[in-house]
Each structure stands twice: as C-alpha cells, then as structure tokens.
Amino acid sequence: MGYHQCRFSYGSEQKVREIADNFRSRNIPCDAIWMDIDYMDGYRIFTFNETNFPDPKALNEELHQKGFKAVYMIDPGAKVDKNYHVYQSGTENDVWVKRPNGEIYEGKVWPGYCAFPDFTMPKAREWWSNLYKDFLALGIDGVWNDMNEPAVTDDDIPEENRIGTMPYDTPHRGGGNLPAGPHLLYHNAYGRLMVEASYEGIMKVNPEKRPFLLTRAGLLGYQRYAATWTGDNWAGWDHLKLSVPMSITLGLSGQAFNGPDIGGFLNNTDADLWAHWLGFGVFLPFARGHACAGTNDKEPWAFGEAIENTSRIALERRYRLLPYFYTLFYEAHKTGVPVMEPVFFADPKDLRLRSEQQAFLLGDNVLVIPAFAENPVLPYGIWENMTLIDGEYSDKYQAKLKIKGGSIVPVGKVIQSTTENSFEPLTLFVCLDENGKAHGQLYWDAGDGWNFQCGDYSLMTFSAEKKNNQVKVSLASKEGKRKIEKEIKALNVELMMNGKVYKGSGSLKKGVTINL
C-alpha cells in the first residue's frame, strides 16, 4: 500500500540499484521497484537476461535490506522455441490453446510467435502454477501479469481484420465446471483464470505470506486474486482527469485495489502534469508511477528540485495516512465497500453529488479535492481542513484534504517504507459533529502472514466527546489479541474545529484531554 516505482524498463541490475538508492538518499518514501519485460532473456517468461540481470537473487536481497519489495512481470505467451524449457514443458503437458484444426495456436507478442496456456483447463492452470516455484525462490515478492486479455500483435494480417487478440473462433477445451467454447466466450475470462493460476502458484511457494499480484485484465471475482491498474494510459490532461472516475468505478465494480499509471505511461510527461497527477494520485488505492520505453524519465526527482519537493510532500502525505488506508482495506476485505468512493456516498439523497467526478472520498471520513478540480460539487455538512505535512498547502499541486464532522482518522508518522513502525506516535485527527461527538476505527495486524485469522490483530474504536470546554478522546473498545500497546509508543490528537487546530498528547490507555 506504499508507493511503487516502475518503468518499461529498468534494464539492468545497476539501474535498479540506482533507482532504489535515489529514493533513500533523497528521503522520498517508496516500497517497491518493478521489473518490466527487459529483465528476461529475449522476453522469455520465467527467465533472466544473464548479462543485465546476472544475479536476481542478490539484487532482490539488496532491495529487501533497503526496505523495498521486488515485483516482476510475467506475461501469458511463451516463446515458440523448442530449446526453451517453458515451451517444451507446455507442449509435453498439452496445455496450449489450439486452432480449430488441432494445431497449437501461435500469436505474436514481445518474443515473436508465442503459445498460450488454455487456462480454461484445470491441468493447464495447475501446470502454470508450478512454474512459479523456482522463479519466486529468488526472493521475488510480487508478480505482474500483463498482456493477459490476451493481447496479440496480429500485424501479419490485413489491418481491417485485426482484433488484437486470438481469433474469436479459437477453441478452448474447458474442464471441471467450465464448458468447452470459443475464444469469443472466454476472452474476458482469460485474464481472470490466469491470475487465479498465478495466485495458486505463489501460494504454493510462499504459503506463509500474503501474495501480491497485479493484473491488466480480469472478470468478476478477479479481485480475490489480484490488484489491477487502468492500463496503458496517456500522459495528458484528459487521462489525468479520467483517473478519478475510472478508479471509482473499478471500486464500485468490486475491485478495491486499483489505480492508474501516475504520470501517464505513453508519451512524455512534463513537470506540471506529473506534479498535478501525483498530488492526488497518492490518495488512490494503488499508487504506482510508470513510464513507457522511449519516454522521458518519470521518477519523483526527474523534473527538477521544486517538483522533487512537491513529490516528496505528496508521498509523505500518503505514508502518514497508511494506518487509515490499512483500516479501509480491512473494511473492504470484510464488506466489499470500496476504499475510494464517489462523493455521493457522503449523502446518497443529495442528487447534486451524482455527477461529481473530480473530488472523491477515502472511506467515509476523508474528502480529497485534486488541485486540478474546477468548481467541484462537494457534500454539505461539517468538513474541516486536514494538514498532514508542513508546507503542503503552500504547494499548488497538492490535493486538499478534508475530514468529516463526527470522524476520527488514524494517521502515523512519515516513514520511508512500510518496514518501519508508523506508530511513533499514532496521531488521531478528530472532527466533532454538531453534537460534539466523533468516532473512528483503526485496524492493525502484522502486515503479512495469516495469524490475523487466529486473532493476532487489533481493531480499535476511538471516541471523542465535548463537555463544557474540554474534549476527551479515548479508546472506547478493542478487539483482537494483538498487543498493540507495544507498537503505539505514544498518542497525539489534533482536533479540527471552526478552522482551528487544537493539539494534545497522552497514551492509548489514558486517552487525551484537550482544553479549548
């Protein structure tokens, strides 16, 4: 849930180290570095370029030591090459999609002609899942399934007949509870079945860890296996603005963990566009900067010192909000309610809000107004400004944040990666309702593994109440067995009321009293 940095491609281990070191030396928060297809040997999936990536295990270990996770791309197409172990194995196990005449279907992708697993077959999904064993043993933390519509470069047929995928009459054999049928039936399901198989493979290798998987394609139910992003967008203002409604609608469709390529993937990005995009993009559920081959550099420091500072502020804001994000993801996991909501969720009866697609909500309690927004339609009621980082509101690119009356929002300190403790201290942002009360929750667990299923978590409910000229903030209830008191070293409170901020400090056990 931290920030991810990607490019097509960071083409060598040396370049990956350079990117990681820049984040740490510049004190810009980041949690993951991504490897696009150029880490492979001739774009062969589950291989490494021995010249540019001679020791991926050592590279991944170095990234881990610096607080980064390593994510690598795996496409569905396997190069047609009789000397290539994946193609050999797939042919021996009879898992490839075949043409109506029974021959293996071959379609062009990055390596040239490729064969594609028929993921409708249980044995093909099982075979695919087993490919991850040696791959993940190198210390790879996450997997990126791309091109899995599947995309096919059908440039060897007349342009008017190109469809960008395998021909619709290409048969899939099915099996289990899936019937045999043409690709026209299974096109939208192909990516969904692929990520299910990938998920199972990751779980076989690392059953004690929570898997991270990103996909470009999916179908209903794929959110159980993978996060998603909105595909190859364009570095332009139209796609920047479209980021908001696209991510909202993905959330409403069941995919809570989603976001665009911040900065725009295709075309060059200028400083102004990058800064505006990151200024609100850090509040989307999935926050990743990405860039296409042949475009300019799009890292936070690539646009000069002023924009680097803007980027640092934006990312520090996200990292302070990680306890709130984590709680929202817990709620999404339990109920399906999206992390990122349309503003009409604040008041479904207010029909004015139905057409707003610039501003958005994070959960029920935080309103995000991007700097590009013009005359946004906002909900009525008590909404106070939230300040997370000094200087954020003097920076024209930062989104405005508002906290809802009656809310308590948990935030942490600025950290450089999620390997650090957020709770030194835990801060509660409080905004009272018209009755002088507020409440909010914080969910926390180990951040990985499955012990939360056995009670190793803490779900805390906080309450605030104004009496006379005092506001008392306290822990109202706590569920779970986790000894959260060992992680929360101190408790601070910032009370937003009538445009002013009142501060106090105390402990989780005794609470905090603020004199007005």
Side-chain angles (χ1 to χ4, degrees):
M1 293 176 197
Y3 176 68
H4 301 243
Q5 187 63 55
C6 186
R7 181 176 182 84
F8 173 24
S9 291
Y10 295 129
S12 68
E13 292 183 359
Q14 179 182 353
K15 185 63 177 179
V16 173
R17 292 187 175 97
E18 176 188 321
I19 295 297
D21 289 343
N22 263 293
F23 274 104
R24 295 296 177 249
S25 65
R26 297 172 187 270
N27 292 314
I28 300 174
C30 183
D31 261 271
I33 308 294
W34 290 55
M35 269 46 82
D36 210 317
I37 55 175
D38 290 306
Y39 79 84
M40 303 176 192
D41 175 17
Y43 305 135
R44 294 170 177 82
I45 55 176
F46 297 103
T47 69
F48 293 87
N49 182 314
E50 294 183 358
T51 300
N52 294 333
F53 286 83
D55 195 346
K57 185 174 183 179
L59 173 65
N60 296 333
E61 289 175 352
E62 185 177 330
L63 289 174
H64 295 162
Q65 291 168 6
K66 295 174 181 177
F68 291 96
K69 300 293 191 296
V71 184
Y72 287 72
M73 175 183 281
I74 293 291
D75 292 343
K79 182 176 175 62
V80 175
D81 177 353
K82 295 181 180 179
N83 297 316
Y84 167 39
H85 72 281
V86 173
Y87 182 75
Q88 290 174 339
S89 174
T91 303
E92 291 169 1
N93 286 277
D94 189 27
V95 300
W96 303 128
V97 172
K98 295 184 176 180
R99 296 181 181 275
N101 64 5
E103 296 177 354
I104 295 174
Y105 169 78
E106 297 177 1
K108 282 187 178 179
V109 202
W110 298 111
Y113 281 105
C114 292
F116 297 82
D118 187 345
F119 289 116
T120 67
M121 297 193 300
K123 74 170 185 177
R125 297 197 297 275
E126 177 73 11
W127 169 83
W128 180 263
S129 71
N130 290 332
L131 295 176
Y132 281 98
K133 181 178 179 180
D134 294 337
F135 188 67
L136 296 180
L138 299 172
I140 290 168
D141 302 290
V143 174
W144 175 14
N145 284 168
D146 193 17
M147 308 290 286
N148 55 341
E149 290 76 19
V152 176
T153 308
D154 44 9
D155 55 6
D156 53 352
I157 63 176
E159 185 172 357
E160 63 272 15
N161 295 327
R162 296 175 189 171
I163 56 174
T165 190
M166 58 185 66
Y168 293 146
D169 64 348
T170 306
H172 291 277
R173 286 176 270 175
N177 62 349
L178 295 178
H183 189 66
L184 185 63
L185 173 65
Y186 279 113
H187 178 74
N188 289 346
Y190 191 88
R192 152 71 175 78
L193 293 167
M194 178 185 179
V195 295
E196 179 182 351
S198 297
Y199 178 97
E200 295 300 329
I202 296 168
M203 287 296 295
K204 286 180 185 178
V205 180
N206 296 316
E208 75 286 355
K209 296 182 179 180
R210 302 178 200 172
F212 177 77
L213 183 60
L214 187 82
T215 182
R216 193 168 81 181
L219 188 70
L220 289 174
Y222 79 115
Q223 70 275 11
R224 293 178 300 199
Y225 307 105
T228 196
W229 89 109
T230 60
D232 295 347
N233 60 3
W234 184 263
W237 283 94
D238 51 350
H239 282 208
L240 174 149
K241 294 176 181 178
L242 281 170
S243 297
V244 175
M246 289 181 76
S247 290
I248 286 174
T249 51
L250 275 167
L252 293 173
S253 302
Q255 177 55 280
F257 202 175
N258 79 83
D261 283 339
I262 294 173
F265 177 68
L266 301 165
N267 201 28
N268 290 332
T269 300
D270 62 39
D272 193 54
L273 184 70
W274 166 265
H276 269 286
W277 212 322
L278 191 68
F280 73 89
V282 295
F283 301 115
L284 301 180
F286 175 60
R288 182 184 71 163
H290 193 21
C292 186
T295 67
N296 61 333
D297 290 342
K298 300 178 186 181
E299 294 77 34
W301 55 84
F303 302 96
E305 184 176 349
I307 301 303
E308 178 182 335
N309 189 56
T310 286
S311 301
R312 184 181 298 105
I313 291 172
L315 289 166
E316 287 178 347
R317 297 176 91 195
R318 180 182 182 87
Y319 275 70
R320 284 211 70 192
L321 275 177
L322 284 177
Y324 183 60
F325 267 107
Y326 203 65
T327 303
L328 295 180
F329 271 94
Y330 165 76
E331 293 173 357
H333 152 75
K334 295 291 286 187
T335 70
V337 172
V339 171
M340 178 185 183
E341 302 175 350
V343 293
F344 73 76
F345 271 34
D347 185 0
K349 294 180 181 180
D350 186 351
L351 299 183
R352 299 178 310 119
L353 303 175
R354 293 302 176 98
S355 61
E356 175 55 37
Q357 53 184 357
Q358 300 174 104
F360 57 92
L361 293 169
L362 276 182
D364 294 333
N365 300 334
V366 175
L367 177 64
V368 181
I369 308 170
F372 73 81
E374 297 181 4
N375 302 314
V377 182
L378 304 178
Y380 296 127
I382 299 172
W383 293 90
E384 294 279 349
N385 289 334
M386 281 177 58
T387 300
L388 294 166
I389 301 295
D390 290 341
E392 64 186 54
Y393 286 118
S394 62
D395 186 310
K396 68 178 183 177
Y397 296 109
Q398 306 300 335
K400 293 180 181 178
L401 297 182
K402 292 181 178 291
I403 180 173
K404 184 180 181 180
S407 302
I408 298 178
V409 173
V411 302
K413 69 172 186 176
V414 174
I415 53 178
Q416 295 303 303
S417 85
T418 56
T419 60
E420 303 174 28
N421 183 8
S422 289
F423 299 141
E424 296 179 334
L426 168 66
T427 299
L428 300 178
F429 284 179
V430 179
C431 182
L432 302 176
D433 62 17
E434 61 273 12
N435 298 314
K437 296 181 179 181
H439 68 276
Q441 289 189 319
L442 168 62
Y443 173 85
W444 206 251
D445 61 24
D448 201 356
W450 308 99
N451 287 340
F452 71 93
Q453 296 176 339
C454 303
D456 183 20
Y457 69 90
S458 183
L459 177 60
M460 293 161 281
T461 300
F462 296 95
S463 65
E465 186 172 6
K466 179 179 179 292
K467 290 186 178 180
N468 299 320
N469 290 322
Q470 287 187 331
V471 176
K472 174 71 173 179
V473 182
S474 59
L475 178 62
S477 66
K478 177 178 174 292
E479 299 177 21
K481 302 175 183 178
R482 191 170 187 83
K483 303 296 184 183
I484 195 68
E485 298 83 359
K486 295 181 179 180
E487 296 170 80
I488 300 176
K489 307 298 184 182
L491 181 65
N492 290 348
V493 169
E494 295 189 22
L495 171 67
M496 291 79 174
M497 181 185 295
N498 300 322
K500 296 181 180 180
V501 179
Y502 301 86
K503 298 183 180 182
S505 60
S507 67
L508 194 62
K509 183 176 181 180
K510 295 182 179 180
V512 177
T513 299
I514 294 179
N515 295 312
L516 301 177

